[in-house]
Amino acid sequence: MMGKLNSTRNSSIGLLLCLLLASCCNTRDNSSGQSNKKRIVVQTIIENKLLVDSTEIGLSTIISNLEVPWEIAWGQDNWIWFTEQRGRISKVNPATGERKILLNIADVWHERTAGLLGMALHPDMKKFPYVVVDYTYRQDTTILSRLVRYTSINDTLINPVLLLEIPGNTAHNGSRVTIGPDGKIFWATGDAVHSERAQDTKSLNGKILRLNIDGSIPKDNPIEKSAVWAFGYRNIQGLVYAANGILYTSEHGDATDDEVNLIRKGGNYGWPDVTGFYDTPAEQAYNRKKTIAEPLKAWTPTIAPAGIAYYGSDAIPEWHNSLLLTTLKAQSLRVLQLDKAGKTILSERVFFNKVLGRLRSVCVSPDGDVYIATSNRDWNPPKDFPKASDDRIVRVFSIKPGDKLSPAYVNLQQHTDSLSTPGEEIASGGQLIYNQYCSSCHKQDGNGIAGTFPPLRAAKQAVGNKQELIHILLNGLSGPIKVNGQKYNQQMPAFHFLSDTEIAEVLTYVRSAFDNQATPITANEVKSERKANQ
């Protein structure tokens, strides 16, 4: 469906934000390995503008009514090129909102997170007019991920060349492609819901692959005659070859430890044996056998990191030399300040929390404007989304003297805390743990997602035998099950890392919320079941 175009560069995204209140809770900060108490941060509208220290920031919608834009990239023609998950590649003029459709890929297979995903433009399009995309394809019952190169001529993409094809799935396909300044392709692949593939260097799943532009294998790859550049990944969702010459990724963890990584040639990034930092005895023992590259930063509870970009501009000076990270579950833009060498994250700041919804991709223009794509019409929309104009690409820019602005801008004071939505109840105990770990799948109302994630409301597994429920939370669940008469077949991670008290609290909440009226669970009952499982 053609996007509804806005007529002016600074058209309002219509944000009205009265109050944001941060949750005050205990979270695990994997950069220190310890728990820390988060402070409360209150934010209000101030002069209808967003203020980053002394820099005023404006927001405007460039294009709206899109069908799940997955990748956005700044083109050398000064247009924004983007993919939509169902198979369409377009570009939009950020100054006028004019859209041009470049290609509809007929054989894209779309379900859940499968579809048309990553895209990269060659850094020298005049000499090499190539666009490389990653999409999911289905042949009978076989699901595949394809890497295909197109040639760009006169606002069309022609002459598809299949560079590589690997096993795919409805999830964990990875999604990102980038091309380095030397013309080499980097393709981030997921484990395709087979975690054992990530450590198997003969498999191309759970890897970063490096190819020549014609699909051949570079002679200087770390493994002879192999496309594998680095390995040990669950599901990479962000990939950027930064102006500082470093390759960075963002990656979805399982129940814990979303990551941002600095990628080194031949590096092992741990999955599934090490998650986040190797901070448990088992992970430390594994690292002594196989050297594992630790992340620059990890998040527990998870935030579902997505697209990532490098910000080297001085247009927003407070963001200079930072990684810009969009998030899905956390519904925010994270600004990760780097040290001069680009090898350490010094600080994290959170912006637009739950204002725009799920954020999938980000890119930066040469003059320092930031462009963000929302993902509110995908398979897992958050509460209160999608809005009528979703999905959209928005512009974040430094307000300059003389700029003509629409009236609706918000002020978000600087902070490093995750924030709740306006008027949202501050949860505690079992409800807080549920919101942090469970609600993204089973939803805040306990109704789940039809056909994908089962409901907890009136579910036998939730309100029935207490020992069975504790066992599920401690050990996870995989394979087909029936809940309230409907079949489901998704993996649920193990939550054994939670304490006995935390498991008791969250399960008691599940058994009493959503009109459930089951008896509570005690920490001693969890302790007994945990001991029986050892």
Side-chain angles (χ1 to χ4, degrees):
M1 181 171 60
M2 282 291 291
K4 181 179 179 181
L5 306 183
N6 291 313
S7 59
T8 61
R9 180 176 177 87
N10 293 316
S11 56
S12 168
I13 61 171
L15 302 177
L16 290 176
L17 194 62
C18 295
L19 179 67
L20 293 179
L21 183 62
S23 300
C24 183
C25 60
N26 290 321
T27 64
R28 178 183 172 193
D29 181 351
N30 281 315
S31 61
S32 64
Q34 298 179 357
S35 293
N36 66 303
K37 193 90 166 180
K38 293 286 187 182
R39 62 187 176 88
I40 292 179
V41 176
V42 175
Q43 302 180 120
T44 59
I45 293 178
I46 299 177
E47 297 178 353
N48 291 325
K49 297 174 184 175
L50 186 154
L51 189 66
V52 182
D53 298 341
S54 61
T55 303
E56 291 182 338
I57 301 298
L59 297 170
S60 63
T61 294
I62 299 304
I63 188 170
S64 57
N65 294 325
L66 301 176
E67 293 184 347
V68 192
W70 196 283
E71 185 76 80
I72 58 174
W74 186 266
Q76 292 158 48
D77 57 359
N78 292 324
W79 288 52
I80 296 171
W81 296 51
F82 62 96
T83 64
E84 290 173 278
Q85 196 178 2
R86 292 186 181 274
R88 186 161 50 198
I89 303 174
S90 304
K91 66 179 184 178
V92 60
N93 186 324
T96 66
E98 179 188 0
R99 176 180 182 168
K100 294 181 180 180
I101 296 176
L102 308 178
L103 178 67
N104 282 290
I105 305 176
D107 59 355
V108 165
W109 181 73
H110 170 245
E111 184 175 317
R112 285 191 60 195
T113 62
L116 174 57
L117 306 176
M119 175 182 64
L121 312 182
H122 196 282
D124 186 358
M125 289 285 282
K126 289 184 179 180
K127 188 175 181 180
F128 302 100
Y130 297 139
V131 176
V132 180
V133 300
D134 156 21
Y135 68 86
T136 318
Y137 170 77
R138 183 166 181 168
Q139 189 172 38
D140 297 325
T141 60
T142 302
I143 303 172
L144 301 165
S145 286
R146 284 182 160 178
L147 188 71
V148 180
R149 189 193 75 201
Y150 290 89
T151 300
S152 176
I153 296 179
N154 298 327
D155 291 333
T156 60
L157 297 179
I158 62 173
N159 299 332
V161 177
L162 179 62
L163 301 179
L164 194 60
E165 196 170 72
I166 67 172
N169 210 316
T170 57
H172 295 205
N173 291 307
S175 70
R176 300 296 178 182
V177 187
T178 192
I179 301 177
D182 61 355
K184 298 293 190 290
I185 301 169
F186 292 87
W187 184 22
T189 70
D191 67 11
V193 200
H194 290 274
S195 59
E196 71 282 359
R197 295 177 182 173
Q199 289 294 317
D200 179 3
T201 55
K202 293 181 181 179
S203 168
L204 298 183
N205 287 104
K207 308 294 188 295
I208 292 177
L209 307 177
R210 181 173 179 258
L211 299 168
N212 293 317
I213 197 65
D214 63 0
S216 63
I217 296 172
K219 293 181 179 179
D220 59 345
N221 274 9
I223 301 173
E224 186 177 3
K225 297 181 180 180
S226 171
V228 173
W229 182 255
F231 63 102
Y233 303 104
R234 180 175 181 265
N235 193 22
I236 291 175
Q237 291 287 292
L239 179 72
V240 61
Y241 203 110
N244 61 11
I246 297 175
L247 187 64
Y248 298 96
T249 64
S250 62
E251 182 181 2
H252 285 184
D254 195 8
T256 68
D257 296 295
D258 287 339
E259 298 179 2
V260 163
N261 282 290
L262 184 157
I263 304 305
R264 293 182 172 88
K265 178 180 179 178
N268 182 352
Y269 289 79
W271 175 257
D273 303 286
V274 176
T275 58
F277 297 87
Y278 41 83
D279 51 6
T280 68
E283 291 175 333
Q284 290 164 356
Y286 188 86
N287 182 60
R288 288 190 288 269
K289 296 180 194 176
K290 301 179 180 181
T291 302
I292 303 300
E294 288 194 297
L296 297 183
K297 189 170 181 63
W299 290 267
T300 299
T302 55
I303 61 172
I308 192 169
Y310 176 77
Y311 195 81
S313 175
D314 291 319
I316 306 175
E318 295 85 353
W319 293 3
H320 178 78
N321 191 36
S322 294
L323 296 176
L324 306 182
L325 176 68
T326 53
T327 67
L328 298 166
K329 176 182 174 183
Q331 302 175 51
S332 59
L333 176 72
R334 306 293 171 111
V335 178
L336 308 175
Q337 185 71 52
L338 296 166
D339 67 353
K340 290 183 179 180
K343 297 181 179 179
T344 301
I345 292 175
L346 302 176
S347 66
E348 175 185 15
R349 299 169 74 178
V350 183
F351 296 92
F352 316 128
N353 185 78
K354 298 183 181 178
V355 173
L356 301 171
R358 287 160 65 87
L359 306 182
R360 176 71 67 177
S361 189
V362 58
C363 72
V364 180
S365 74
D367 61 3
D369 288 352
V370 177
Y371 295 87
I372 301 170
T374 70
S375 192
N376 295 317
R377 293 192 180 278
D378 62 19
W379 68 284
N380 192 14
K383 183 181 178 183
D384 299 324
F385 289 92
K387 305 294 187 185
S389 58
D390 282 327
D391 275 314
R392 50 191 167 168
I393 297 173
V394 300
R395 174 184 174 231
V396 181
F397 59 98
S398 174
I399 299 173
K400 299 176 179 62
D403 280 353
K404 295 180 180 179
L405 302 175
S406 296
Y409 295 97
V410 295
N411 174 277
L412 301 182
Q413 296 174 352
Q414 66 181 71
H415 62 283
T416 57
D417 300 79
S418 298
L419 305 176
S420 63
T421 54
E424 185 177 57
E425 176 186 355
I426 303 303
S428 61
Q431 184 182 7
L432 175 61
I433 299 168
Y434 180 85
N435 289 345
Q436 289 175 329
Y437 293 101
C438 312
S439 64
S440 60
C441 294
H442 298 291
K443 299 304 175 184
Q444 289 187 328
D445 59 8
N447 287 328
I449 300 175
T452 303
F453 292 121
L456 299 176
R457 185 184 299 272
K460 178 182 177 182
Q461 290 85 347
V463 300
N465 185 281
K466 290 195 285 187
Q467 281 68 37
E468 290 180 5
L469 180 58
I470 297 169
H471 180 86
I472 289 173
L473 205 69
L474 286 172
N475 299 284
L477 194 66
S478 63
I481 61 171
K482 268 192 176 183
V483 179
N484 295 348
Q486 185 168 349
K487 292 181 180 179
Y488 295 87
N489 190 8
Q490 297 295 332
Q491 288 185 326
M492 172 184 161
F495 288 89
H496 52 74
F497 60 89
L498 294 175
S499 70
D500 295 342
T501 298
E502 288 171 327
I503 290 176
E505 287 179 344
V506 70
L507 292 184
T508 295
Y509 173 75
V510 168
R511 289 167 65 85
S512 61
F514 323 129
D515 297 325
N516 294 337
Q517 297 181 1
T519 56
I521 288 176
T522 67
N524 283 336
E525 288 172 319
V526 177
K527 183 178 180 180
S528 296
E529 186 62 27
R530 192 191 295 268
K531 186 176 180 180
N533 287 323
Q534 291 175 348

